[in-house]
mmCIF file with all atom_site columns, all heavy atoms in Angstrom:
data_model
loop_
_atom_site.group_PDB
_atom_site.id
_atom_site.type_symbol
_atom_site.label_atom_id
_atom_site.label_alt_id
_atom_site.label_comp_id
_atom_site.label_asym_id
_atom_site.label_entity_id
_atom_site.label_seq_id
_atom_site.pdbx_PDB_ins_code
_atom_site.Cartn_x
_atom_site.Cartn_y
_atom_site.Cartn_z
_atom_site.occupancy
_atom_site.B_iso_or_equiv
_atom_site.pdbx_formal_charge
_atom_site.auth_seq_id
_atom_site.auth_comp_id
_atom_site.auth_asym_id
_atom_site.auth_atom_id
_atom_site.pdbx_PDB_model_num
ATOM 1  N N   . ARG A 1 205 ? -48.527 -29.942 4.866  1.00 0.00 ? 205 ARG A N   1
ATOM 2  C CA  . ARG A 1 205 ? -47.595 -29.231 3.975  1.00 0.00 ? 205 ARG A CA  1
ATOM 3  C C   . ARG A 1 205 ? -47.760 -27.706 3.949  1.00 0.00 ? 205 ARG A C   1
ATOM 4  O O   . ARG A 1 205 ? -48.808 -27.276 4.381  1.00 0.00 ? 205 ARG A O   1
ATOM 5  C CB  . ARG A 1 205 ? -47.941 -29.746 2.528  1.00 0.00 ? 205 ARG A CB  1
ATOM 6  C CG  . ARG A 1 205 ? -47.315 -31.118 2.307  1.00 0.00 ? 205 ARG A CG  1
ATOM 7  C CD  . ARG A 1 205 ? -47.760 -31.640 0.939  1.00 0.00 ? 205 ARG A CD  1
ATOM 8  N NE  . ARG A 1 205 ? -47.003 -32.891 0.582  1.00 0.00 ? 205 ARG A NE  1
ATOM 9  C CZ  . ARG A 1 205 ? -47.311 -34.058 1.093  1.00 0.00 ? 205 ARG A CZ  1
ATOM 10 N NH1 . ARG A 1 205 ? -48.326 -34.189 2.006  1.00 0.00 ? 205 ARG A NH1 1
ATOM 11 N NH2 . ARG A 1 205 ? -46.573 -35.111 0.781  1.00 0.00 ? 205 ARG A NH2 1
ATOM 12 N N   . ASN A 1 206 ? -46.764 -27.142 3.639  1.00 0.00 ? 206 ASN A N   1
ATOM 13 C CA  . ASN A 1 206 ? -46.776 -25.574 3.569  1.00 0.00 ? 206 ASN A CA  1
ATOM 14 C C   . ASN A 1 206 ? -47.709 -25.147 2.549  1.00 0.00 ? 206 ASN A C   1
ATOM 15 O O   . ASN A 1 206 ? -47.941 -25.821 1.451  1.00 0.00 ? 206 ASN A O   1
ATOM 16 C CB  . ASN A 1 206 ? -45.360 -25.131 3.222  1.00 0.00 ? 206 ASN A CB  1
ATOM 17 C CG  . ASN A 1 206 ? -45.149 -23.733 3.608  1.00 0.00 ? 206 ASN A CG  1
ATOM 18 O OD1 . ASN A 1 206 ? -46.071 -22.979 3.768  1.00 0.00 ? 206 ASN A OD1 1
ATOM 19 N ND2 . ASN A 1 206 ? -43.944 -23.289 3.842  1.00 0.00 ? 206 ASN A ND2 1
ATOM 20 N N   . VAL A 1 207 ? -48.321 -24.011 2.803  1.00 0.00 ? 207 VAL A N   1
ATOM 21 C CA  . VAL A 1 207 ? -49.380 -23.576 1.869  1.00 0.00 ? 207 VAL A CA  1
ATOM 22 C C   . VAL A 1 207 ? -48.791 -23.231 0.435  1.00 0.00 ? 207 VAL A C   1
ATOM 23 O O   . VAL A 1 207 ? -49.490 -23.187 -0.517 1.00 0.00 ? 207 VAL A O   1
ATOM 24 C CB  . VAL A 1 207 ? -50.114 -22.300 2.438  1.00 0.00 ? 207 VAL A CB  1
ATOM 25 C CG1 . VAL A 1 207 ? -50.905 -22.749 3.720  1.00 0.00 ? 207 VAL A CG1 1
ATOM 26 C CG2 . VAL A 1 207 ? -49.175 -21.289 2.712  1.00 0.00 ? 207 VAL A CG2 1
ATOM 27 N N   . GLY A 1 208 ? -47.424 -22.886 0.532  1.00 0.00 ? 208 GLY A N   1
ATOM 28 C CA  . GLY A 1 208 ? -46.805 -22.475 -0.815 1.00 0.00 ? 208 GLY A CA  1
ATOM 29 C C   . GLY A 1 208 ? -46.229 -23.688 -1.589 1.00 0.00 ? 208 GLY A C   1
ATOM 30 O O   . GLY A 1 208 ? -45.677 -23.491 -2.600 1.00 0.00 ? 208 GLY A O   1
ATOM 31 N N   . ARG A 1 209 ? -46.347 -24.901 -1.075 1.00 0.00 ? 209 ARG A N   1
ATOM 32 C CA  . ARG A 1 209 ? -45.782 -26.111 -1.645 1.00 0.00 ? 209 ARG A CA  1
ATOM 33 C C   . ARG A 1 209 ? -46.403 -26.306 -2.985 1.00 0.00 ? 209 ARG A C   1
ATOM 34 O O   . ARG A 1 209 ? -47.597 -26.328 -3.132 1.00 0.00 ? 209 ARG A O   1
ATOM 35 C CB  . ARG A 1 209 ? -45.990 -27.258 -0.823 1.00 0.00 ? 209 ARG A CB  1
ATOM 36 C CG  . ARG A 1 209 ? -45.672 -28.574 -1.332 1.00 0.00 ? 209 ARG A CG  1
ATOM 37 C CD  . ARG A 1 209 ? -44.238 -28.762 -1.741 1.00 0.00 ? 209 ARG A CD  1
ATOM 38 N NE  . ARG A 1 209 ? -43.411 -28.788 -0.527 1.00 0.00 ? 209 ARG A NE  1
ATOM 39 C CZ  . ARG A 1 209 ? -42.129 -28.843 -0.495 1.00 0.00 ? 209 ARG A CZ  1
ATOM 40 N NH1 . ARG A 1 209 ? -41.388 -28.778 -1.633 1.00 0.00 ? 209 ARG A NH1 1
ATOM 41 N NH2 . ARG A 1 209 ? -41.437 -28.924 0.644  1.00 0.00 ? 209 ARG A NH2 1
ATOM 42 N N   . LYS A 1 210 ? -45.515 -26.477 -4.022 1.00 0.00 ? 210 LYS A N   1
ATOM 43 C CA  . LYS A 1 210 ? -46.080 -26.686 -5.381 1.00 0.00 ? 210 LYS A CA  1
ATOM 44 C C   . LYS A 1 210 ? -46.378 -28.129 -5.650 1.00 0.00 ? 210 LYS A C   1
ATOM 45 O O   . LYS A 1 210 ? -45.550 -28.978 -5.201 1.00 0.00 ? 210 LYS A O   1
ATOM 46 C CB  . LYS A 1 210 ? -45.104 -26.078 -6.470 1.00 0.00 ? 210 LYS A CB  1
ATOM 47 C CG  . LYS A 1 210 ? -44.874 -24.726 -6.400 1.00 0.00 ? 210 LYS A CG  1
ATOM 48 C CD  . LYS A 1 210 ? -43.860 -24.196 -7.447 1.00 0.00 ? 210 LYS A CD  1
ATOM 49 C CE  . LYS A 1 210 ? -43.620 -22.641 -7.287 1.00 0.00 ? 210 LYS A CE  1
ATOM 50 N NZ  . LYS A 1 210 ? -42.689 -22.246 -8.306 1.00 0.00 ? 210 LYS A NZ  1
ATOM 51 N N   . THR A 1 226 ? -50.292 -24.810 -5.982 1.00 0.00 ? 226 THR A N   1
ATOM 52 C CA  . THR A 1 226 ? -49.881 -24.929 -4.684 1.00 0.00 ? 226 THR A CA  1
ATOM 53 C C   . THR A 1 226 ? -50.891 -25.780 -3.851 1.00 0.00 ? 226 THR A C   1
ATOM 54 O O   . THR A 1 226 ? -52.037 -26.081 -4.240 1.00 0.00 ? 226 THR A O   1
ATOM 55 C CB  . THR A 1 226 ? -49.808 -23.481 -3.999 1.00 0.00 ? 226 THR A CB  1
ATOM 56 O OG1 . THR A 1 226 ? -51.146 -22.903 -4.008 1.00 0.00 ? 226 THR A OG1 1
ATOM 57 C CG2 . THR A 1 226 ? -48.853 -22.624 -4.741 1.00 0.00 ? 226 THR A CG2 1
ATOM 58 N N   . VAL A 1 227 ? -50.470 -26.196 -2.678 1.00 0.00 ? 227 VAL A N   1
ATOM 59 C CA  . VAL A 1 227 ? -51.389 -26.875 -1.799 1.00 0.00 ? 227 VAL A CA  1
ATOM 60 C C   . VAL A 1 227 ? -52.625 -26.139 -1.466 1.00 0.00 ? 227 VAL A C   1
ATOM 61 O O   . VAL A 1 227 ? -53.830 -26.771 -1.475 1.00 0.00 ? 227 VAL A O   1
ATOM 62 C CB  . VAL A 1 227 ? -50.662 -27.287 -0.465 1.00 0.00 ? 227 VAL A CB  1
ATOM 63 C CG1 . VAL A 1 227 ? -51.585 -27.853 0.516  1.00 0.00 ? 227 VAL A CG1 1
ATOM 64 C CG2 . VAL A 1 227 ? -49.587 -28.276 -0.758 1.00 0.00 ? 227 VAL A CG2 1
ATOM 65 N N   . LEU A 1 228 ? -52.540 -24.843 -1.427 1.00 0.00 ? 228 LEU A N   1
ATOM 66 C CA  . LEU A 1 228 ? -53.695 -24.030 -1.112 1.00 0.00 ? 228 LEU A CA  1
ATOM 67 C C   . LEU A 1 228 ? -54.732 -24.092 -2.232 1.00 0.00 ? 228 LEU A C   1
ATOM 68 O O   . LEU A 1 228 ? -55.905 -23.971 -1.985 1.00 0.00 ? 228 LEU A O   1
ATOM 69 C CB  . LEU A 1 228 ? -53.348 -22.566 -0.796 1.00 0.00 ? 228 LEU A CB  1
ATOM 70 C CG  . LEU A 1 228 ? -54.290 -21.643 -0.180 1.00 0.00 ? 228 LEU A CG  1
ATOM 71 C CD1 . LEU A 1 228 ? -54.850 -22.206 1.199  1.00 0.00 ? 228 LEU A CD1 1
ATOM 72 C CD2 . LEU A 1 228 ? -53.754 -20.257 -0.004 1.00 0.00 ? 228 LEU A CD2 1
ATOM 73 N N   . GLU A 1 229 ? -54.205 -24.202 -3.460 1.00 0.00 ? 229 GLU A N   1
ATOM 74 C CA  . GLU A 1 229 ? -55.103 -24.177 -4.607 1.00 0.00 ? 229 GLU A CA  1
ATOM 75 C C   . GLU A 1 229 ? -55.716 -25.567 -4.876 1.00 0.00 ? 229 GLU A C   1
ATOM 76 O O   . GLU A 1 229 ? -56.788 -25.610 -5.516 1.00 0.00 ? 229 GLU A O   1
ATOM 77 C CB  . GLU A 1 229 ? -54.267 -23.846 -5.903 1.00 0.00 ? 229 GLU A CB  1
ATOM 78 C CG  . GLU A 1 229 ? -53.790 -22.346 -5.826 1.00 0.00 ? 229 GLU A CG  1
ATOM 79 C CD  . GLU A 1 229 ? -52.884 -22.080 -7.056 1.00 0.00 ? 229 GLU A CD  1
ATOM 80 O OE1 . GLU A 1 229 ? -52.285 -23.084 -7.603 1.00 0.00 ? 229 GLU A OE1 1
ATOM 81 O OE2 . GLU A 1 229 ? -52.637 -20.904 -7.256 1.00 0.00 ? 229 GLU A OE2 1
#
Side-chain angles (χ1 to χ4, degrees):
R205 284 171 171 78
N206 199 338
V207 294
R209 169 67 66 184
K210 296 179 180 179
T226 63
V227 170
L228 192 62
E229 294 172 342

